[in-house]
Amino acid sequence: MKAKVLFAVALIAIALVAVACAPAATPVPAFTPPADAIGTVKIGPSDPIHIAYMMVTSGADGSLGIDSRRGVEIAIDDKGGKLLDRSLKLDGQDSGCGAEPGQAAAAKLAADATILAVVGSSCSSEIRAGGPALSKAGFSVVSPSNTAPDLTDPAKRFAGYFRTAHNDKVQGAVAAQFALKQLKLKTAATIHDGSPYAQGLAGVFVDEFKKGGGTITAQEAVGPDDKDFKPVLTKIAAGKPEIIFYPIFIAAGSLITTQAKTIPGLEEVELMAADGTFSPDMYKAAGKSAIGMYQSSPDFSAFAGGYPDVLAKHQKKYNEKPLSAFHAHAYAAAMIIFAAIEKSRGEGSRWFVVHRSPSIARRDPKDEWVQGRNRHDHLRCERRLRRSQDRGVQSDRRQCEQTPDTRQAVLETVIACHCEE
Amino acid sequence: MLAKKLKHLELTDVFIYLLGLAIVAVVIIGSIATLIQAKYALRAWFDLVLFGVTLGSIYALIALGYTLVYGILRMINFAHSEVFMSGPYIAYFVADAMSKAGLVEQNPLLTVIIIFIVAMLSSTLIAILVERVAYRPLRHAPRLVPLITAIGASFFLQYTFFRLFGPNLKVYPAINLFDASIAFGDFKITYLQIFVITAAGLLMLALHQFVQRTKIGKAMRAVSEDRETAALMGINVDNTIVMTFALGGALAGAAGVLYILVFNQVTAFIGFVPGIKAFTADVLGGIGNIPGAMLGGLFLGVIESLGPTLFLDGLGIAAPYQLKDAIAFTMLVLVLIFRPAGILGERLTEKKA
Amino acid sequence: MNQPKSFWNPALKLGIIGGIAVVFIALLGMIEAFATRDIIADVIDMGRVLVFISFFMTGHFAIARKSGAASIENVLQAGVAGLVSAAFLAALMWLLSAMPTMRAVFVNATPVLLKTLLFGLDITIASIGLLALGAAVGALPAGLRFLPESPRRALIRASTWVILVGLLQELLVVTFKTTESLQGLATLLFAKTGLSIAGAVIVFVLIVAFELWRDRYGKTVRVRYDHLPTIQRRATNGVILLSLLAILLALPSILGLFFSEVLVQVGLYVLMGLGLNIVVGFAGLLDLGYVAFFAIGAYTVGILTSTSTEIAFAGGLPFWVGLPIAIAIAAFAGLVLGVPVLKVRGDYLAIVTLGFGEIIRLLALSDFLKPYFAGARGLELIPKPFIGSFELDGPQQLYYVLLVGCVIVAFISLRLKTSRVGRAWMAMREDEDVAQAMGINLVATKLLAFAMGASFAGIGGAINASKLAIIYPHSMNLLVSINVLALIIIGGMGSIPGVIVGALVLVGLPELLREFADFRLLVYGAVLVLMMLVRPEGLLPEARRALELEEFKEEEKATSAA
């Protein structure tokens, strides 16, 4: 059984360095369908296994969700479109990267009792507003790109919520440590764009950088639609920082990259962005200025074997390079859900803890991505298993939360995560 | 009763003036505090003003399009921001093709000229199209109706471009025409900044002359004064209105090219913010007033660039550049408190306003 | 048939316009995206329906200006128009297959689009088929004229309903399946995707039958009702009202979670619409920053009721304590923001109020005030309203809060409109100077309008904050203000039922069709323009406005004649 799990996990392209903490398999002799109507999904022999996404797929932020959805689609292709001899059905809702559309999308998903699990959301705001509805409907939700740390805070976490995305605490800390220790810099400035993601990440960076003995010369903020960053950079230049950390998105991020070096006083400054700009569009938009800048991001190159394969499939299927960094997380999220459904067939619910490793990559003048030196192996994601049985997958969505021992297991996992983060 | 009313009026007036004075006080105290701290070199201040003037002259060019249309039709042409966006957006495909053909490197000057022509033509075309479809059938409708069609047309154009050409950022090829710079001691101006400011200034001057001197310009002014009388005088009102839209569109297209020369990238949504800013500039300067639009644009550009540092930094306010639009709009309120019709605006009669 | 030229000209012209439109629709990606949605399972999908509709409308407009009589001439013209527009689509097909690189510019010119257009056929056969189809569907509206009006209308309405029901299949199935007794109906009407063939026939026949019945007997019912004695008529009215009320009360449990969510959103916009209707519709003050008061209401309730530890002051009070304070503060904000703009008129006012909206949003977003408003990460842990120990936690419960809110606010609006204040507002709307000369205190009248409007938005904001449990400054954007303004004008400015209809059309409908979110704002924009061109007075105009609009139309005719 364990080998099978490992096989499924190995498919997950972003390196699953180890499968740990998997509670020892305690076979459940006879499956008794839970009496709870919400927790039970009856899937007949000819019914599809229905997975939904909840992502932003339209508008200006659309590329984030489209990228993630593609990750899920590739995962389905890798499964041959089938799971447990049933076809896999994927549909979903556009959650608009905002609280209101997120809640509406969640309400629509929650009304559909055939859905087994949800991959999403794209933005933290969506899940904060929509999470309770999904949770109440009993779904497991695995997010590929929610990075707000407190979403998995045991006090706030919605029942059934998980993520494969790394959180801001990890990435911000990794970036700050990298600037301090690898680049040996002492002064830094940050810019965020007023998005929850960027504000949070910049905040973590500031805290960690100060903790490590560095000085923050300026904490600036701009608007996501701004174009002229020369004034704010001029102001930053007065503080003479050695590095500027701007964990924002491509449009503004590329302009800051091109404009920074033209500002008197910033000619020698190091630039560092985060995974929000981890996209070919960024290098196209920033052109030559991007050479030599740093970015933190999930480390795909460390994930032996699987990822290039996914990339090739992506190229073949969509005829372009990935739009952002999160398709891999989405692929992993989908695979985790599939594995859970497959694995839990007739067995008990169970939790897994997966180690992943983000790192820092540097873009060198030869236009190649070189493996960063700072390995940070403690980013975890949680995943949840679903109980099912051979004849009509009957999934129990609440079992984990209801029986005392599994509940404890859930909490232990989450707490363990938070201790290490 | 009358006494009561007078008292009431005074109260609100007092409130308004106190508000105005409070804003002025914050600005003055903030500026003094910032200057006393002397964190910024003189060169930095010079740069901030220069950045502001550069952006402000682009705002001013866009603002002219709003003001021309407003002068004639008394409506906010919300779709003008998309007219501005469409020029450089369509010209991008030409620029991209030229870049692939190697023309951009060989002859950057010709590239820029072609981009100007394509962008101005495209913007003009879109402006005329919008007028024909969304405004002309509603010439005599109540004021708010064309406002709604304008907003509708604006969304429609934005998302048409977004859907037709995709969500990706369109990045212009690098044009190495204005890379050099002139230095005066510590101060430095790039050729690009000089070019943008001069081009915008020349276009504005040309427009002013056009409106004052030519026959069409006179017709435009006549229609703006009184449409019915102008029609009686033998002016073809519809044609004059189309000309106005075309002129505004061409200027917006030119502004769009200046914009991409500075910022290098287009999406379907780049028009929105500059559009709002340009209209604010119009109101600041006095709506329907061409020199007012120029003045308003420059004022707004400089306030945005300089304001956060000068006014707020000394007060210890965190991340002042996040508030740059708030500062700009506060300045607008301040100006309108003391001059309800804008800096250069005449007191409008009810009919005009 | 005098001259061949004038005979074919309109057909050609309309055909070209229709052709451009259909190619445009294809390149926008609509055909491809809609093709994933079956209307009738294994028969037709929405993408193809869209192509049909394009041809149909082309034919319709080609003969729209001509008298209603049926004639072969009309059929020919409409058919030619359809044929020409089909030719454009066929040309696109050839272009797609010959030049796949055009995808580099037009991102939706994909192989999938080509496949959809080809109907799985060889390209030559497909082109011929498409042309034939274009001619046939184009000629259809002219052919329909051979039928008497009543069955014709019935057929068109029935087809529209089949498309609608097919489009909403997913929602209806989910809704039907929650009720035990309706499960059978769901399996009968619907296939896995779209309507089943039997379902389509049933819907079609039912609607045709209903339409025909109404055409024949509808008037009789109406006449009989009019002839009832007053008491009986009142009784009938009472029964109708009561059943309406009963339906309104039962809606959430009938319709289920998602429809309730949509209704709650509509309700929020009705609240705001009624408020802005006072400012813009009654008093004629153009406010583009109305969202400011929505934000103030939301943040007041947020701060007073939240239990978050992230902000300096979090009240932890119950919602019902927060609500009246939020209304009061929003109304006060209406006064404070109203005073500086008292002398500012018309479009100056529009841009200043827009500025206020932006200032409020930016302040809520700013790092500067983050210790008080929680900044970009949102003010969280806002509790839901409780009644006793019963938590109104989902849309199915919050619906009632909104229903009560809307009814109260609509009642207040209605009373205000006919009151002395209401008349003063309308006088001011027509002409400020004259109103003042007539002895209306402009200052008090204006400020009252601002305050009333603001307080309604404050209610909306307060409920929204509680509904979401977290508020983000990003939600307080200009789009909200524009949406509210658009819905009161689409509904019919100054009209209270118009606000409700406007909210249903501009908020409810897009939410129901959220599958097509990719096209939401595109269609929204197009609808705004078309609606204003076709019905500038709005869907349910106020009587007085309608009159003014009549005058405008007269004037229009006079000018076009001259």
Side-chain angles (χ1 to χ4, degrees):
Chain A
M1 219 57 205
K2 191 137 190 169
K4 210 169 165 189
V5 181
L6 277 172
F7 178 63
V9 165
L11 278 174
I12 298 164
I14 45 173
L16 307 176
V17 174
V19 176
C21 290
T26 42
V28 179
F31 176 70
T32 37
D36 182 354
I38 293 175
T40 311
V41 182
K42 286 185 187 139
I43 301 176
S46 63
D47 287 342
I49 291 190
H50 187 180
I51 308 291
Y53 64 83
M54 175 175 150
M55 296 165 185
V56 49
T57 52
S58 70
D61 301 312
S63 56
L64 174 64
I66 290 169
D67 180 69
S68 299
R69 187 173 64 190
R70 287 175 173 177
V72 179
E73 284 165 357
I74 294 173
I76 290 176
D77 288 352
D78 280 359
K79 282 273 166 195
K82 284 190 163 262
L83 198 66
L84 296 176
D85 295 329
R86 290 173 178 79
S87 62
L88 270 166
K89 174 183 169 190
L90 175 76
D91 59 15
Q93 290 298 315
D94 179 0
S95 42
C97 201
E100 283 90 350
Q103 197 168 53
K108 180 137 189 213
L109 292 176
D112 188 346
T114 64
I115 294 171
L116 283 173
V118 175
V119 185
S121 62
S122 297
C123 303
S124 304
S125 55
E126 299 162 347
I127 201 69
R128 282 188 212 271
L134 296 175
S135 203
K136 218 171 140 192
F139 295 147
S140 288
V141 184
V142 186
S143 168
S145 59
N146 291 163
T147 60
D150 63 334
L151 283 173
T152 41
D153 179 339
K156 287 182 182 172
R157 178 176 164 276
F158 303 118
Y161 174 79
F162 311 95
R163 60 176 155 206
T164 49
H166 46 275
N167 85 29
D168 295 343
K169 269 191 183 163
V170 177
Q171 194 181 184
V174 165
Q177 292 301 325
F178 182 74
L180 284 167
K181 294 192 180 139
Q182 305 291 335
L183 302 177
K184 307 224 180 323
L185 302 176
K186 286 274 162 275
T187 54
T190 60
I191 306 175
H192 72 76
D193 65 355
S195 67
Y197 157 83
Q199 196 211 44
L201 201 45
V204 174
F205 180 92
V206 167
D207 293 343
E208 288 291 320
F209 199 77
K210 280 183 186 160
K211 230 188 272 167
T215 314
I216 298 291
T217 63
Q219 283 176 265
E220 282 295 339
V222 295
D225 297 323
D226 288 358
K227 299 287 176 226
D228 197 359
F229 299 99
K230 294 189 287 284
V232 71
L233 288 165
T234 302
K235 181 172 181 296
I236 286 175
K240 299 191 181 65
E242 291 166 306
I243 182 167
I244 303 177
F245 181 61
Y246 48 108
I248 57 179
F249 296 98
I250 297 167
S254 61
L255 283 170
I256 291 187
T257 310
T258 48
Q259 289 171 12
K261 300 275 176 175
T262 68
I263 302 297
L266 293 180
E267 292 90 349
E268 298 300 318
V269 77
E270 297 282 7
L271 298 175
M272 184 165 183
D275 53 2
T277 50
F278 194 76
S279 156
D281 274 2
M282 170 74 180
Y283 318 122
K284 215 176 135 198
K288 278 184 290 185
S289 330
I291 294 173
M293 73 174 289
Y294 296 86
Q295 276 176 308
S296 60
S297 80
D299 177 15
F300 300 137
S301 59
F303 307 154
Y307 188 62
D309 193 32
V310 170
L311 267 187
K313 284 173 188 155
H314 188 286
Q315 186 66 34
K316 191 159 166 251
K317 196 169 162 86
Y318 306 108
N319 197 26
E320 61 180 340
K321 288 200 173 107
L323 302 166
S324 85
F326 296 103
H327 56 280
H329 295 322
Y331 180 95
M335 281 301 186
I336 286 168
I337 289 170
F338 298 158
I341 294 172
E342 251 176 355
K343 182 75 179 60
S344 59
R345 189 184 202 182
E347 296 198 7
S349 316
R350 184 179 313 143
W351 293 80
F352 281 91
V353 174
V354 180
H355 291 281
R356 292 202 21 259
S357 86
S359 83
I360 297 294
R362 177 175 181 135
R363 197 166 200 225
D364 75 359
K366 277 177 290 176
D367 247 18
E368 279 170 9
W369 289 93
V370 180
Q371 176 63 46
R373 284 146 290 191
N374 187 4
R375 278 291 191 83
H376 188 98
D377 289 331
H378 295 292
L379 181 55
R380 292 178 158 195
C381 69
E382 313 95 55
R383 65 177 186 177
R384 179 181 180 186
L385 282 181
R386 182 171 291 286
R387 167 184 281 194
S388 52
Q389 205 178 28
D390 292 10
R391 193 168 292 256
V393 181
Q394 292 179 319
S395 301
D396 171 22
R397 293 169 179 152
R398 283 212 169 152
Q399 198 67 25
C400 303
E401 311 301 322
Q402 283 167 348
T403 54
D405 55 342
T406 40
R407 188 184 177 85
Q408 209 176 350
V410 176
L411 285 174
E412 269 171 16
T413 311
V414 176
I415 290 167
C417 269
H418 277 266
C419 294
E420 292 204 10
E421 281 167 12
Chain B
M1 190 70 188
L2 189 72
K4 221 176 171 185
K5 207 197 287 179
L6 266 178
K7 205 175 161 195
H8 196 73
L9 266 176
E10 266 173 17
L11 199 72
T12 55
D13 278 353
V14 167
F15 177 82
I16 294 175
Y17 279 101
L18 280 180
L19 184 74
L21 286 179
I23 298 174
V24 173
V26 169
V27 165
I28 292 175
I29 294 171
S31 307
I32 291 174
T34 309
L35 292 175
I36 285 177
Q37 289 171 15
K39 269 206 299 207
Y40 304 97
L42 192 59
R43 187 190 60 198
W45 293 118
F46 174 79
D47 281 347
L48 285 178
V49 173
L50 187 64
F51 299 145
V53 171
T54 315
L55 192 63
S57 31
I58 297 175
Y59 286 163
L61 267 188
I62 310 171
L64 291 177
Y66 281 102
T67 231
L68 283 172
V69 170
Y70 193 89
I72 281 197
L73 289 181
R74 310 268 171 253
M75 63 164 284
I76 310 177
N77 177 13
F78 260 99
H80 192 64
S81 49
E82 275 55 57
V83 170
F84 160 77
M85 169 275 290
S86 59
Y89 205 115
I90 293 170
Y92 161 78
F93 295 107
V94 178
D96 196 45
M98 286 193 292
S99 160
K100 277 176 188 144
L103 192 69
V104 176
E105 308 231 314
Q106 273 170 29
N107 199 339
L109 184 65
L110 183 67
T111 311
V112 171
I113 292 172
I114 292 177
I115 290 175
F116 259 106
I117 294 171
V118 174
M120 287 169 82
L121 279 179
S122 315
S123 285
T124 308
L125 202 72
I126 300 267
I128 293 173
L129 210 66
V130 169
E131 193 272 335
R132 181 69 194 81
V133 175
Y135 306 148
R136 192 182 300 178
L138 298 167
R139 200 61 46 86
H140 301 280
R143 308 162 43 83
L144 281 180
V145 173
L147 181 78
I148 295 295
T149 56
I151 291 173
S154 168
F155 278 125
F156 182 75
L157 284 171
Q158 261 181 32
Y159 283 89
T160 293
F161 277 80
F162 184 74
R163 291 296 312 170
L164 279 183
F165 305 118
N168 291 19
L169 215 56
K170 304 274 182 286
V171 183
Y172 266 75
I175 302 165
N176 308 315
L177 191 58
F178 308 108
D179 283 355
S181 58
I182 316 174
F184 304 98
D186 221 7
F187 307 123
K188 204 174 81 175
I189 305 183
T190 64
Y191 281 3
L192 183 61
Q193 283 160 337
I194 296 174
F195 176 74
V196 169
I197 296 168
T198 335
L202 284 178
L203 281 168
M204 284 186 260
L205 205 67
L207 177 78
H208 193 67
Q209 291 301 316
F210 183 87
V211 172
Q212 293 299 324
R213 298 281 160 85
T214 63
K215 209 170 161 187
I216 303 170
K218 277 179 192 156
M220 281 163 59
R221 281 187 293 143
V223 174
S224 136
E225 281 297 321
D226 188 333
R227 200 188 298 161
E228 276 74 32
T229 316
L232 288 177
M233 297 293 163
I235 292 172
N236 185 333
V237 173
D238 272 345
N239 278 358
T240 312
I241 291 175
V242 170
M243 267 314 290
T244 313
F245 272 86
L247 256 181
L251 288 171
V257 177
L258 297 180
Y259 185 86
I260 59 101
L261 284 175
V262 179
F263 301 122
N264 220 31
Q265 46 177 248
V266 282
T267 68
F269 306 111
I270 55 163
F272 184 72
V273 174
I276 299 266
K277 294 289 170 54
F279 193 75
T280 310
D282 267 326
V283 171
L284 261 172
I287 196 165
N289 179 317
I290 292 174
M294 301 181 209
L295 196 67
L298 291 179
F299 180 77
L300 204 64
V302 173
I303 283 289
E304 261 181 38
S305 167
L306 190 67
T309 306
L310 184 62
F311 305 156
L312 298 185
D313 193 44
L315 300 176
I317 284 173
Y321 274 94
Q322 205 173 19
L323 296 170
K324 72 179 168 46
D325 291 352
I327 296 175
F329 284 120
T330 310
M331 288 297 131
L332 174 76
V333 173
L334 182 69
V335 167
L336 291 186
I337 282 175
F338 294 108
R339 288 194 63 86
I343 303 174
L344 295 183
E346 71 239 75
R347 186 83 183 90
L348 291 178
T349 61
E350 171 61 17
K351 197 177 145 211
K352 271 194 159 186
Chain C
M1 249 194 260
N2 318 332
Q3 287 281 324
K5 196 184 159 211
S6 64
F7 176 72
W8 296 118
N9 246 357
L12 274 179
K13 198 174 143 195
L14 259 299
I16 290 170
I17 294 178
I20 291 174
V22 75
V23 167
F24 182 70
I25 288 173
L27 288 179
L28 284 173
M30 285 176 120
I31 291 177
E32 186 186 330
F34 286 26
T36 56
R37 196 59 176 269
D38 277 349
I39 294 297
I40 304 171
D42 304 324
V43 179
I44 192 165
D45 61 57
M46 189 57 206
R48 284 163 190 164
V49 167
L50 211 59
V51 175
F52 279 25
I53 293 177
S54 310
F55 294 155
F56 187 86
M57 294 314 280
T58 309
H60 170 75
F61 281 115
I63 54 163
R65 291 213 174 152
K66 308 186 69 175
S67 59
S71 68
I72 299 294
E73 190 186 321
N74 278 349
V75 174
L76 272 178
Q77 281 193 331
V80 167
L83 185 77
V84 172
S85 57
F88 272 81
L89 201 58
L92 176 71
M93 251 159 50
W94 284 94
L95 203 62
L96 279 172
S97 67
M99 210 172 68
T101 46
M102 70 185 282
R103 191 178 175 184
V105 175
F106 295 102
V107 290
N108 295 305
T110 59
V112 184
L113 174 63
L114 183 62
K115 222 169 109 189
T116 315
L117 292 176
L118 283 176
F119 286 78
L121 298 167
D122 174 67
I123 190 158
T124 326
I125 303 171
S127 310
I128 296 168
L130 193 64
L131 291 177
L133 187 82
V137 178
L140 201 58
L144 278 174
R145 286 193 180 182
F146 284 99
L147 288 175
E149 200 194 331
S150 167
R152 183 172 77 211
R153 201 168 49 205
L155 284 181
I156 291 177
R157 290 215 174 138
S159 316
T160 317
W161 273 100
V162 168
I163 294 173
L164 255 178
V165 173
L167 254 186
L168 296 177
Q169 174 259 359
E170 207 185 39
L171 278 173
L172 295 173
V173 168
V174 166
T175 311
F176 282 5
K177 284 209 168 148
T178 47
T179 322
E180 202 70 41
S181 52
L182 288 176
Q183 281 206 11
L185 186 61
T187 26
L188 174 66
L189 287 180
F190 299 108
K192 265 185 189 150
T193 57
L195 284 160
S196 62
I197 297 178
V201 172
I202 291 172
V203 173
F204 192 84
V205 169
L206 275 180
I207 301 290
V208 168
F210 172 74
E211 287 289 330
L212 291 178
W213 175 84
R214 201 175 64 172
D215 279 346
R216 176 156 307 180
Y217 300 109
K219 241 183 207 148
T220 339
V221 173
R222 176 89 215 168
V223 170
R224 269 180 32 207
Y225 169 80
D226 283 344
H227 282 84
L228 282 178
T230 325
I231 300 176
Q232 276 188 33
R233 196 156 48 177
R234 274 200 191 144
T236 325
N237 278 350
V239 168
I240 292 174
L241 254 176
L242 275 180
S243 38
L244 210 71
L245 191 71
I247 291 173
L248 270 180
L249 286 176
L251 268 184
S253 34
I254 300 172
L255 293 177
L257 182 65
F258 177 64
F259 276 104
S260 306
E261 165 75 25
V262 174
L263 283 176
V264 166
Q265 287 192 27
V266 170
L268 281 171
Y269 273 90
V270 169
L271 272 179
M272 286 198 279
L274 288 171
L276 191 63
N277 196 34
I278 288 182
V279 183
V280 181
F282 294 173
L285 303 162
L286 181 52
D287 188 341
L288 283 184
Y290 191 59
V291 71
F293 308 117
F294 180 74
I296 287 168
Y299 270 95
T300 309
V301 157
I303 289 169
L304 289 176
T305 64
S306 169
T307 49
S308 168
T309 49
E310 309 259 308
I311 53 173
F313 176 80
L317 296 165
F319 173 78
W320 300 112
V321 178
L323 179 69
I325 303 177
I327 298 172
I329 290 187
F332 182 69
L335 285 182
V336 170
L337 296 187
V339 170
V341 295
L342 279 174
K343 287 183 186 159
V344 179
R345 284 181 175 185
D347 295 324
Y348 285 78
L349 184 64
I351 213 77
V352 178
T353 47
L354 187 152
F356 282 147
E358 281 296 285
I359 291 175
I360 298 280
R361 181 180 71 83
L362 287 168
L363 287 178
L365 177 65
S366 67
D367 285 2
F368 163 52
L369 294 176
K370 193 174 146 209
Y372 309 98
F373 299 126
R377 303 219 106 172
L379 174 50
E380 56 178 347
L381 300 177
I382 301 168
K384 297 275 186 286
F386 276 84
I387 293 180
S389 62
F390 181 67
E391 186 183 15
L392 302 169
D393 62 343
Q396 278 157 301
Q397 290 81 39
L398 282 169
Y399 169 86
Y400 295 103
V401 179
L402 271 156
L403 188 65
V404 172
C406 287
V407 167
I408 293 175
V409 165
F411 180 73
I412 295 175
S413 291
L414 214 59
R415 295 305 301 238
L416 275 175
K417 188 176 174 181
T418 48
S419 72
R420 196 186 151 81
V421 184
R423 289 197 300 277
W425 281 335
M426 276 171 241
M428 194 169 74
R429 173 180 86 191
E430 300 310 325
D431 193 320
E432 261 187 35
D433 297 329
V434 174
Q436 190 167 30
M438 299 304 282
I440 290 172
N441 181 345
L442 281 189
V443 171
T445 317
K446 269 191 189 179
L447 289 182
L448 189 65
F450 277 126
M452 285 307 299
S455 64
F456 292 178
I459 305 176
I463 297 177
N464 195 39
S466 180
K467 168 180 178 276
L468 291 173
I470 179 161
I471 37 178
Y472 287 95
H474 304 276
S475 305
M476 317 298 174
N477 54 32
L478 181 59
L479 201 62
V480 177
S481 304
I482 287 178
N483 212 354
V484 180
L485 182 68
L487 78 87
I488 65 172
I489 291 171
I490 291 282
M493 208 170 73
S495 145
I496 291 164
V499 170
I500 297 167
V501 172
L504 282 171
V505 172
L506 286 191
V507 180
L509 208 57
E511 204 50 59
L512 286 182
L513 298 173
R514 65 194 324 286
E515 260 62 40
F516 308 114
D518 272 343
F519 305 99
R520 184 177 189 155
L521 286 167
L522 183 91
V523 175
Y524 180 83
V527 165
L528 288 191
V529 175
L530 289 178
M531 206 82 120
M532 288 294 96
L533 292 180
V534 179
R535 275 185 84 94
E537 71 273 28
L539 290 171
L540 281 183
E542 188 192 13
R544 185 208 297 251
R545 284 262 143 184
L547 263 176
E548 277 172 35
L549 263 291
E550 275 309 304
E551 281 167 26
F552 146 64
K553 278 183 180 161
E554 294 290 313
E555 198 178 330
E556 191 80 322
K557 268 184 204 145
T559 28
S560 60

